[in-house]
Amino acid sequence: MSSDHMEQNVVDAGEEDFAKRPLLKSHLGWEAFRSLAADKKREVLVDCTSGSSSYNASAILILSTLLADRLRRETSSKRVGIVLPPGIGAVVSNLAVTFAGKSSVNLNFSLGREALESSIERAEIDFILTAGMVKKRLEDFPWTDRTLDVGVVLKGFSKLTLALRSLALTLLPTSWAASWLGIPRKGGEGEAALLFTSGSSGMPKGVVLSHRNILANCDQVRDTKLIPSGETLLANLPIFHSFGFTVSIWCCLIHGVRLVTVPSPLDVKGSLKAIREQGVTTLLGTPTFLRPYLRRAKKGDFESIKFVIAGAEKTPEGFSEKWEKEAGCIYLEGYGLTETSPVLCVNLPGEQDGQSLRRTGAVGKLLPGLAARVVDPDSGEVVPPSQTGILHFRGPNVFEGYLGEPEKTAEVLDEDGWFATGDLGSFDKDGFLRIEGRLSRFSKVGGEMVPHGRVEEAVAEVLGLDSGDHPAVVVAGRADPAKGEALVLLTTVEIDSSELSRLLSEKGLTNLWIPKEIRRVDEIPVLPTGKLDLKAISQLAASD
């Protein structure tokens, strides 16, 4: 394919111009410090862990810079582990690590011990910031020899120490104060954070995110005007996930969005209470975490919410309509990956030039500063954006590579900066992206690509199954000598094979799309995040 033809097949949202922004050479710590110092009286965070505790910019700067001083004395390591739920401790810890010129590693404490040990070893972490209650609850966590209880440290600063730091931050100009405190100014492509993938298809990979990556994504989100300064966001997503890490911490701190934190998205009662009492205007979540809200919410609970932004997993058919009808607020689906810091696309409220900025079934348009192309999974050729294929993205928010795994990095990141997501999708004529699913969630049966997700939706529909909080059916593929692959339907309910085949045929599914093998299981394997455990599902499908 000629380069001219390939360029015509690239969806470009101003990647080249965006990459020239001076901000991208800056340091995450400096940008956060400068933003907080600009209005020290601004209420930055309300922690609803127990009651509600309010913190203004001045308090957060004082605590985080003092903790940064402590970190410089305690460890010379490049990376510092953090094991904390959303709240003042997590925000101050991430700021302190960054202010100290180190890289934060928010560890996914929901993973198994083996995966955590591997993550800690590969990241070369010898020092972890946590809290006493967290450490007590996570008895099987592979703690390093050196841990620091952030809560004890923050409460242990003397009144004199706090007063002197406050005085210095008040009297000194921002630039002088930053220099005196050793806040780095230049970050660029240097490592700012390390996040581990969920491990849905194997051992978690360490995703190295630079200052450039995170600052770019914060600016991209700001440019959409989706969460402007002054809005109030409920931050209850885990910090070890890129959605919670970038959007719930750095975007808000840098761009003046008020944070209301609840320790877990599973605490629906606490989240609804925080929404009501704190006037939350923006809610983040995944369909798995959002579904219980509809069962628990009472009249008026969502009165202050303008919209919910959903991502991290595909929205089930009909869920967005159900949400808008029952919750009474706009549902906006987006798309991103840990490797892209994470946001790539998002639906937006309102209209532009008479056209709606959101589309049901799509995950929105590209954020500013990105380019995208679609690649045929068989030939590797770039195809028109309207054709379904593997999605590739390029832009300043695309990660630097996997920690210590150059071969895996080379598999997904080419020399020109194109990142192969492994997701199948296409763009419509207006630039809206539709995701078909992970390539790993397709089977090639008799030469035809069969999407597992679409088959699952069809099975659930014809049998009248409500997935609720846990899936009742899941489709996987196994090797088949005759057709390459065969579909296996794993289910927690009794299903008559011949009856299912009849119903699916009546619905219009071709014979290749109808699972011939049905296996009853006690439960569908899922990760603690609510995502399907694809590795365990594949093993079940392949077993005799």
Side-chain angles (χ1 to χ4, degrees):
M1 176 178 291
S2 70
S3 60
D4 288 343
H5 184 57
M6 188 181 74
E7 287 300 319
Q8 292 172 8
N9 288 336
V10 171
V11 181
D12 191 350
E15 178 212 353
E16 188 174 332
D17 288 340
F18 193 98
K20 296 175 183 176
R21 295 188 181 188
L23 170 75
L24 304 186
K25 296 180 180 179
S26 189
H27 192 282
L28 199 56
W30 164 241
E31 295 301 326
F33 185 91
R34 186 168 63 174
S35 175
L36 292 168
D39 184 3
K40 298 186 182 70
K41 293 182 180 179
R42 173 173 68 89
E43 185 179 57
V44 172
L45 184 147
V46 179
D47 188 327
C48 296
T49 301
S50 179
S52 58
S53 302
S54 175
Y55 299 86
N56 62 19
S58 177
I60 288 177
L61 277 176
I62 291 167
L63 294 173
S64 54
T65 55
L66 287 171
L67 181 57
D69 294 343
R70 175 79 179 265
L71 286 175
R72 291 189 187 96
R73 295 193 301 268
E74 292 279 357
T75 178
S76 59
S77 295
K78 175 183 177 181
R79 302 184 184 97
V80 175
I82 300 175
V83 182
L84 288 167
I88 183 62
V91 170
V92 167
S93 293
N94 277 277
L95 274 171
V97 170
T98 309
F99 286 166
K102 300 179 183 296
S103 173
S104 61
V105 188
N106 288 270
L107 292 162
N108 184 346
F109 44 81
S110 68
L111 295 176
R113 185 180 180 92
E114 182 184 359
L116 281 165
E117 287 176 340
S118 172
S119 299
I120 291 170
E121 181 181 356
R122 282 182 287 155
E124 298 179 321
I125 294 170
D126 65 0
F127 195 84
I128 294 177
L129 297 174
T130 187
M133 289 301 293
V134 173
K135 196 169 183 180
K136 184 177 180 181
R137 191 171 76 245
L138 301 177
E139 294 180 355
D140 196 43
F141 190 94
W143 300 102
T144 58
D145 293 336
R146 302 170 67 215
T147 61
L148 194 65
D149 188 324
V150 175
V152 172
V153 173
L154 298 185
K155 292 176 182 177
F157 294 126
S158 68
K159 290 183 178 179
L160 178 61
T161 298
L162 295 171
L164 289 173
R165 182 57 52 94
S166 175
L167 184 64
L169 289 169
T170 301
L171 295 178
L172 291 174
T174 299
S175 183
W176 291 11
S179 296
W180 172 61
L181 292 167
I183 309 295
R185 302 288 184 93
K186 294 182 179 180
E189 295 177 353
E191 181 182 323
L194 179 68
L195 292 174
F196 284 90
T197 60
S198 60
S200 61
S201 56
M203 194 62 73
K205 296 186 288 290
V207 177
V208 177
L209 297 179
S210 67
H211 295 273
R212 173 186 170 87
N213 294 153
I214 299 168
L215 287 171
N217 209 220
C218 289
D219 236 32
Q220 289 166 325
V221 171
R222 186 200 63 173
D223 284 0
T224 66
K225 299 181 174 61
L226 181 60
I227 317 175
S229 175
E231 295 293 332
T232 298
L233 182 141
L234 180 67
N236 62 3
L237 294 180
I239 308 299
F240 52 72
H241 283 164
S242 54
F243 201 25
F245 176 73
T246 298
V247 179
S248 296
I249 293 186
W250 297 108
C251 284
C252 294
L253 291 177
I254 292 172
H255 296 306
V257 177
R258 178 173 173 257
L259 277 168
V260 175
T261 65
V262 174
S264 170
L266 300 177
D267 182 6
V268 179
K269 182 179 179 181
S271 295
L272 289 170
K273 184 173 185 285
I275 290 170
R276 286 194 308 270
E277 294 182 354
Q278 300 300 327
V280 171
T281 60
T282 306
L283 180 63
L284 302 179
T286 69
T288 297
F289 291 147
L290 292 172
R291 190 177 285 110
Y293 283 82
L294 297 181
R295 293 197 299 271
R296 299 287 296 274
K298 299 175 182 177
K299 186 177 180 180
D301 279 349
F302 294 109
E303 193 171 327
S304 62
I305 298 286
K306 295 179 181 178
F307 44 76
V308 58
I309 306 168
E313 62 184 74
K314 184 176 174 61
T315 296
E317 188 174 345
F319 182 73
S320 62
E321 293 86 349
K322 182 179 181 181
W323 176 275
E324 293 190 352
K325 180 181 178 181
E326 297 184 17
C329 60
I330 297 171
Y331 185 96
L332 301 172
E333 186 175 6
Y335 168 68
L337 301 99
T338 305
E339 290 90 341
T340 57
S341 307
V343 190
L344 289 165
C345 301
V346 67
N347 283 289
L348 299 170
E351 296 183 349
Q352 186 176 27
D353 300 327
Q355 184 189 68
S356 174
L357 295 175
R358 61 188 177 116
R359 191 157 294 180
T360 302
V363 292
K365 296 183 179 182
L366 284 182
L367 264 58
L370 281 163
R373 68 185 187 186
V374 179
V375 174
D376 184 278
D378 293 323
S379 68
E381 290 287 313
V382 177
V383 297
S386 59
Q387 185 174 322
T388 297
I390 299 176
L391 297 166
H392 288 216
F393 296 92
R394 187 172 66 186
N397 55 316
V398 172
F399 78 137
E400 302 298 322
Y402 295 120
L403 178 68
E405 298 185 276
E407 291 182 359
K408 287 188 176 179
T409 299
E411 289 174 6
V412 298
L413 200 60
D414 72 14
E415 293 179 354
D416 294 324
W418 285 104
F419 168 58
T421 64
D423 288 330
L424 291 171
S426 62
F427 291 85
D428 67 19
K429 62 182 179 61
D430 296 316
F432 285 91
L433 174 62
R434 294 181 184 274
I435 304 294
E436 299 295 336
R438 295 289 296 172
L439 182 61
S440 59
R441 297 229 63 219
F442 279 72
S443 288
K444 201 159 190 177
V445 183
E448 182 177 339
M449 294 291 285
V450 180
H452 298 171
R454 299 251 290 274
V455 176
E456 289 160 5
E457 289 173 1
V459 171
E461 183 180 340
V462 299
L463 296 180
L465 299 175
D466 182 1
S467 60
D469 294 338
H470 302 284
V473 294
V474 68
V475 173
R478 65 166 177 79
D480 181 84
K483 294 185 178 180
E485 277 190 275
L487 298 182
V488 179
L489 179 68
L490 303 178
T491 174
T492 59
V493 298
E494 287 292 342
I495 295 177
D496 182 87
S497 179
S498 58
E499 176 67 5
L500 178 63
S501 293
R502 182 183 68 80
L503 292 171
L504 291 177
S505 294
E506 290 178 356
K507 184 175 172 59
L509 265 68
T510 65
N511 191 49
L512 289 177
W513 286 44
I514 298 176
K516 305 300 188 294
E517 187 175 344
I518 300 176
R519 296 188 184 182
R520 180 75 185 269
V521 294
D522 293 332
E523 61 180 1
I524 304 297
V526 295
L527 298 170
T529 59
K531 288 185 177 182
L532 293 173
D533 187 338
L534 300 182
K535 183 179 180 181
I537 288 169
S538 295
Q539 289 172 344
L540 281 175
S543 62
D544 295 328

